[in-house]
Amino acid sequence: MRMILLGPPGAGKGTQAKKLVEKYGIPQISTGDILREAVKNKTSLGQEAKSYMDKGALVPDSIVVGIIRERLHDSDCAKGYILDGFPRTVPQADELKKALKAMGQSIDFVLSIVVPNEDLIKRLTGRRTCKECGAGFHLLYKKPAKDGVCDQCSGPLFQRDDDKEDTIKNRLTVYNKQTEPLTQYYRKDGALVEIQGTGGIQDIFGRICAVVEKQG
C-alpha cells in the first residue's frame, strides 16, 4: 500500500496520517524529516542537500528524490508507506515516478483531503499557543478554561503570525496554485481520490479507510 497524502494547511493531514500509521503499520515519510535526518547522518546526499540549505537555496528535486529513494529501501517500507509533503509540483511528481519505476514500484493512490477555504480559515485562525510551554488550544474545538490563559501552566496564549487571516489566505492561494496542476496530473493517471475533509476526525478517517481498503 503506497500512497501520497495531499491537503492544504488546516486540512488535518498530519492527524489523519498518524491514524493511518497506527491502523495499517506503514510509515509516514515526511520529506522535511528525512532531509534533516540525511543531513544529521552526513550521508552523501545529505551533505549535498546541506550545501544548498546553508546558502538558503532550495534543495534540487533530484537530491530530494534520491534521499526519498534511500528511505524507501528501509525494511519498514516493505508493506508500503505514506508520502507526506512530496511531491508538491508536477516536475517533482515526474522525478518521483522515474525513481519508483527504477525500483519496480508505483504509487497505488493519491489521497487529496478537500476542505472549503472558509472552513480552513476558521480552523487556522482559531489556534492559540502558550508562550510558556507551547501547549496548543483552539477557540472553537479546544477552548482554554480561562480565556487567554494556558490550562497547563497558566502562561499567556497568543496567535502565531502564520495563523493570522491574511497570512492564511496567502498560504492557501500559494497551495492551490501549486497543487492544482498536481491534482490534475494524478487525476489523469487515475490515481487521485478526493476525500471530503469536513466533519469529525473519525468521520474523515472512516472515509479514508473505506478508500484504502477498496483500493488495497
Side-chain angles (χ1 to χ4, degrees):
M1 184 195 308
R2 297 181 287 264
M3 69 177 88
I4 293 168
L5 199 54
L6 299 177
K13 195 159 53 83
T15 300
Q16 297 300 332
K18 284 183 180 65
K19 292 178 77 64
L20 285 165
V21 169
E22 286 168 17
K23 184 173 173 71
Y24 296 107
I26 58 174
Q28 174 192 5
I29 297 173
S30 156
T31 46
D33 290 345
I34 62 171
L35 259 175
R36 284 187 287 274
E37 191 70 17
V39 170
K40 189 176 93 176
N41 293 337
K42 298 185 176 177
T43 67
S44 59
L45 284 169
Q47 294 289 79
E48 281 190 66
K50 187 174 185 299
S51 70
Y52 287 92
M53 291 158 77
D54 286 348
K55 292 182 287 192
L58 285 175
V59 179
D61 293 346
S62 57
I63 294 175
V64 177
V65 170
I67 290 171
I68 289 171
R69 190 170 56 234
E70 286 180 350
R71 175 67 181 88
L72 298 185
H73 278 105
D74 289 349
S75 58
D76 64 338
C77 293
K79 289 196 299 179
Y81 45 80
I82 304 161
L83 282 179
D84 175 12
F86 192 92
R88 290 181 186 273
T89 63
V90 169
Q92 288 177 351
D94 278 332
E95 287 281 337
L96 179 65
K97 188 183 277 187
K98 285 179 207 163
L100 291 177
K101 189 176 180 183
M103 293 169 64
Q105 294 185 10
S106 62
I107 293 296
D108 295 318
F109 47 91
V110 178
L111 293 178
S112 177
I113 301 176
V114 180
V115 183
N117 273 10
E118 57 268 29
D119 286 6
L120 295 171
I121 291 166
K122 198 185 296 181
R123 288 180 191 179
L124 293 169
T125 54
R127 296 199 299 204
R128 295 293 183 273
T129 306
C130 176
K131 279 188 177 176
E132 301 296 332
C133 71
F137 296 87
H138 197 283
L139 300 184
L140 293 175
Y141 312 119
K142 191 186 174 186
K143 288 183 180 180
K146 188 177 177 184
D147 203 24
V149 178
C150 176
D151 291 355
Q152 296 180 25
C153 74
S154 299
L157 302 182
F158 75 105
Q159 184 183 40
R160 291 177 0 189
D161 286 343
D162 58 355
D163 286 339
K164 291 180 178 170
E165 189 165 339
D166 287 347
T167 308
I168 288 162
K169 284 180 176 174
N170 185 53
R171 286 169 67 199
L172 292 174
T173 299
V174 169
Y175 176 84
N176 291 330
K177 185 177 177 184
Q178 194 178 57
T179 310
E180 181 56 30
L182 191 62
T183 53
Q184 293 300 332
Y185 176 95
Y186 284 117
R187 189 174 277 116
K188 280 180 189 169
D189 267 6
L192 186 78
V193 182
E194 292 188 332
I195 303 287
Q196 288 306 311
T198 51
I201 289 170
Q202 207 54 44
D203 295 333
I204 300 162
F205 188 58
R207 291 172 207 146
I208 291 173
C209 291
V211 170
V212 169
E213 281 153 30
K214 182 182 174 185
Q215 301 282 342

